[in-house]
Amino acid sequence: MANSMANSMTNAITGDIHKATTWSIVLSVLMIAAGVLAIFSPAIAGVAVTVFFGWLLIFSGILHLAYAWQAGRAGAVVWEILLGILYGGIGFYLLAQPGAGLASLTLALAFYLVLEGVLEFVLSFQLRPLPGSGWLLLDGIVTLVLAAMIGNAWPISWAWAIGTLVGVSMFFSGITRLALSVAARQAVA
């Protein structure tokens, strides 16, 4: 009796894992396909990212405005209202002018990558005696090269930079998720 109950539970758990990994595999394949589409249509993917980012900023602006009335002190209320207006305004701008917004986001990305590359470069020298610090140096160099590629090609780089980076990220995330899902399915099989 106890043995059949244990087998029944094991079969139920195996079935649940099989069902979950099936959905995960399907989502992984869709993510890989979306990544490939973004890589081959980077301008469209970049505009989609800009619109998504615009909506996030509008939502964040609304939350800042709502929180302003909970802030308490007059200075905090004013600050939250100003942040809400700023976030909402930038969000509406991105939605109204997605091409110009994408160009602005691309320039901001180039500045961010320069800062990240310099910080990784500095950190690699601070951690130089430790194993693996060379990877930080390589990461910093690659990041600075990518920033230079985007910055030197700006404003034309708006058409490919963000969409391509998002596509590559989605592609590799999909590959990783697919590998993990297949491994999980094989582990219980």
Side-chain angles (χ1 to χ4, degrees):
M1 170 95 172
N3 196 15
S4 71
M5 193 164 149
N7 284 339
S8 174
M9 259 184 15
T10 301
N11 289 340
I13 291 171
T14 303
D16 288 344
I17 291 173
H18 188 271
K19 184 178 176 182
T21 55
T22 299
W23 278 109
S24 185
I25 290 170
V26 168
L27 290 173
S28 300
V29 170
L30 290 174
M31 189 179 289
I32 292 167
V36 169
L37 284 173
I39 291 168
F40 287 114
S41 303
I44 294 170
V47 169
V49 167
T50 302
V51 169
F52 178 73
F53 195 64
W55 280 110
L56 286 177
L57 284 171
I58 289 171
F59 182 68
S60 180
I62 291 168
L63 290 177
H64 275 283
L65 291 173
Y67 179 72
W69 309 115
Q70 305 295 325
R73 298 184 339 257
V77 170
V78 169
W79 181 251
E80 290 296 328
I81 289 173
L82 290 175
L83 281 176
I85 291 170
L86 178 67
Y87 283 16
I90 293 171
F92 280 117
Y93 170 76
L94 292 177
L95 293 178
Q97 303 290 328
L102 180 56
S104 301
L105 288 176
T106 303
L107 187 59
L109 174 66
F111 283 122
Y112 167 77
L113 290 173
V114 166
L115 182 62
E116 180 185 359
V118 167
L119 291 176
E120 287 172 345
F121 196 72
V122 168
L123 184 61
S124 73
F125 280 103
Q126 289 179 345
L127 300 176
R128 188 175 13 196
L130 298 175
S133 63
W135 287 106
L136 271 173
L137 178 63
L138 178 64
D139 188 18
I141 292 169
V142 169
T143 302
L144 287 174
V145 168
L146 184 58
M149 287 172 53
I150 293 170
N152 286 336
W154 195 84
I156 296 170
S157 61
W158 73 266
W160 61 265
I162 290 181
T164 301
L165 293 174
V166 168
V168 169
S169 177
M170 289 174 67
F171 179 79
F172 282 105
S173 293
I175 294 288
T176 302
R177 182 183 184 117
L178 179 63
L180 290 173
S181 300
V182 169
R185 177 177 276 190
Q186 289 174 348
V188 294

